[in-house]
């Protein structure tokens, strides 16, 4: 058989997806959704109807966002095949995304929070503790990543105006659990004359590589979920910023007044727009 799907997918991931920050997610997506449907067939035999059936099947299973991601992935693969002269045309051309995604509305469920908390343990330093810290404080990823030892005094983390998105100085109360994360962080010496960073691996710069970190956390969540339930569990896509929204939603569930939540998140008081 000429150009089996398995070989084409492997070559595509090796040559093309390897240059993308989301390579791990792409590999997992093809392994979980594409290969089970098309393995054993030639790439030349995959037609538009096959693409539609693959995508529609994911929608029917109640995972429309995953269907969008899979369509985007196979479309990219088929375009790559056209560029490499493997195919004359892409069977995904003209296939529309099955679901209209709403921006900035993802909130993790209680089950997902538990799996993330457990998964963070296996991911380890620095992204595991940082994910837990984001859940506990509701702060922005970049602001937490840039935290210095000098900004923390007792149970208050004081962000200077120059480090906040809205340019307003911000005092964040730290719970005992949040304090414990900071106290257990490894001490990595900074360059001479610089403040010591908390979430760092080099001492000279805050942690980075958010896409890869999120992918590792996501995989750890699904592993924790599978161990708990005894079967594979597909966790819908989320972002690190969604942890901030999840914290805000949790405060609302606890009956916290909106103006207090806005203060915790460092929003301008009285604002009805944005994350709250």
């Amino acid at each position: 058989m000429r150009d089996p799907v398995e070989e084409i997918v492997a070559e595509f991931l090796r040559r093309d997806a390897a240059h993308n920050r989301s390579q791990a997610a792409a590999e997992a997506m093809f392994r979980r959704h594409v290969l089970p449907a098309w393995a054993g067939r030639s790439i030349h035999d995959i037609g538009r109807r096959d693409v539609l059936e693959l995508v529609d099947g994911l929608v029917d299973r109640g995972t429309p966002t995953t269907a969008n991601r899979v369509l985007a992935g196979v479309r990219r693969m088929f375009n790559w095949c056209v560029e490499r002269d493997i195919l004359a045309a892409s069977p995904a051309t003209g296939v529309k995304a099955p679901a209209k995604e709403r921006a900035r509305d993802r909130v993790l469920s209680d089950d997902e929070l538990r799996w993330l908390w457990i998964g963070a343990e296996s991911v380890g330093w620095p992204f595991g503790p940082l994910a837990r810290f984001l859940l506990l404080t509701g702060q922005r990823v970049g602001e937490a990543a840039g935290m210095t030892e000098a900004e923390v005094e007792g149970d208050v983390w004081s962000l200077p105006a120059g480090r906040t998105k809205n340019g307003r100085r911000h005092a964040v109360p730290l719970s005992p659990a949040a304090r414990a994360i900071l106290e257990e962080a490894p001490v990595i010496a900074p360059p001479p004359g610089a403040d010591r960073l908390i979430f760092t691996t080099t001492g000279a710069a805050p942690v980075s590589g958010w896409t890869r970190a999120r992918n590792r956390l996501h995989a750890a969540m699904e592993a924790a979920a599978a161990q708990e339930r005894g079967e594979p569990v597909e966790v819908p896509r989320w972002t690190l910023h969604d942890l901030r929204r999840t914290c805000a939603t949790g405060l609302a569930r606890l009956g916290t007044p909106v103006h207090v939540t806005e203060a915790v998140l460092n929003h301008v008081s009285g604002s009805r727009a944005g994350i709250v």
Side-chain angles (χ1 to χ4, degrees):
M1 179 174 58
R2 184 186 178 195
D3 297 328
V5 169
E6 299 94 316
E7 292 184 7
I8 296 298
V9 168
E11 186 71 1
F12 163 70
L13 291 172
R14 185 175 73 86
R15 292 187 178 274
D16 183 82
H19 301 296
N20 298 330
R21 292 183 299 173
S22 56
Q23 180 189 8
E27 291 178 352
M29 180 191 70
F30 274 91
R31 183 175 62 252
R32 177 175 296 173
H33 301 296
V34 179
L35 291 178
W38 295 346
R41 300 176 60 183
S42 167
I43 195 73
H44 302 279
D45 295 335
I46 305 299
R48 180 185 175 91
R49 183 170 181 177
D50 295 296
V51 176
L52 289 169
E53 288 179 350
L54 175 64
V55 171
D56 289 344
L58 291 168
V59 173
D60 293 342
R61 283 167 49 189
T63 56
T65 300
T66 299
N68 285 357
R69 303 285 182 269
V70 169
L71 175 59
V74 298
R75 178 182 286 124
R76 183 176 178 85
M77 180 189 69
F78 286 129
N79 288 341
W80 176 84
C81 288
V82 173
E83 293 172 0
R84 306 279 296 187
D85 203 27
I86 298 171
L87 295 175
S90 167
T93 299
V95 178
K96 296 181 179 179
K100 185 175 181 180
E101 297 183 35
R102 296 175 57 192
R104 301 172 63 87
D105 63 353
R106 177 76 161 97
V107 173
L108 276 67
S109 68
D110 288 347
D111 283 341
E112 291 170 336
L113 288 176
R114 182 172 65 256
W115 298 332
L116 177 58
W117 194 268
I118 295 171
E121 182 72 26
S122 63
V123 169
W125 182 263
F127 294 109
L130 178 56
R132 288 181 171 182
F133 188 79
L134 294 173
L135 283 173
L136 291 168
T137 62
Q139 302 310 299
R140 296 181 177 90
V141 177
E143 293 170 0
M147 174 192 288
T148 66
E149 183 180 43
E151 293 175 354
V152 180
E153 185 174 352
D155 59 358
V156 177
W157 167 31
S158 298
L159 283 86
R163 284 225 310 113
T164 63
K165 182 178 180 180
N166 61 11
R168 296 161 56 98
R169 184 178 180 276
H170 184 37
V172 182
L174 299 173
S175 65
R179 283 285 300 162
I181 290 174
L182 303 183
E183 292 168 358
E184 293 169 4
V187 177
I188 301 176
D195 291 333
R196 184 175 75 85
L197 291 162
I198 303 296
F199 295 104
T200 182
T201 57
T202 65
V207 292
S208 59
W210 304 118
T211 300
R212 182 172 297 180
R214 191 221 68 91
N215 291 341
R216 289 179 59 199
L217 287 163
H218 190 96
M221 284 176 67
E222 293 189 329
Q227 183 174 8
E228 178 180 294
R229 294 190 172 179
E231 61 181 8
V233 175
E234 181 177 334
V235 176
R237 178 180 170 79
W238 55 275
T239 69
L240 289 172
H241 188 73
D242 293 333
L243 303 185
R244 177 170 162 86
R245 183 177 303 103
T246 300
C247 179
T249 301
L251 289 172
R253 288 171 57 188
L254 292 172
T256 305
V258 172
H259 71 276
V260 175
T261 299
E262 289 185 332
V264 169
L265 300 175
N266 198 19
H267 282 167
V268 177
S269 181
S271 170
R272 294 181 180 273
I275 204 166
V276 174

